[in-house]
Amino acid sequence: MIIPVRCFTCGKVVGSAYPEYDKRVKMGEDAKSVLDEMGFERYCCRRMIVAHADLIADIAKLG
């Protein structure tokens, strides 16, 4: 739904990085290199961003 503000495991802020990550990956950049450049080294934080399913637009249509 909405990306969590912080990583569930370590507490690092990840919510503000998702829009940039999404934009860069859609433009064709490699997801691994984008996460590396953004400073996400821990796999727990990387999982929070990579595994996020952006469904807010679908949910908003229901309301």
Side-chain angles (χ1 to χ4, degrees):
M1 299 292 237
I2 301 173
I3 191 160
V5 175
R6 293 187 176 270
C7 175
F8 294 147
T9 306
C10 70
K12 182 175 180 174
V13 177
V14 296
S16 60
Y18 183 75
E20 180 182 351
Y21 166 80
D22 191 40
K23 180 181 77 170
R24 290 174 65 178
V25 169
K26 285 182 180 176
M27 289 174 46
E29 289 186 56
D30 181 42
K32 180 188 179 302
S33 63
V34 172
L35 289 171
D36 289 341
E37 290 174 12
M38 294 176 75
F40 292 104
E41 298 175 1
R42 294 183 179 140
Y43 64 88
C44 59
C45 299
R46 294 169 84 97
R47 144 192 70 94
M48 295 292 292
I49 294 175
V50 173
H52 176 66
D54 199 14
L55 300 174
I56 194 69
D58 297 337
I59 300 300
K61 291 178 186 176
L62 297 176

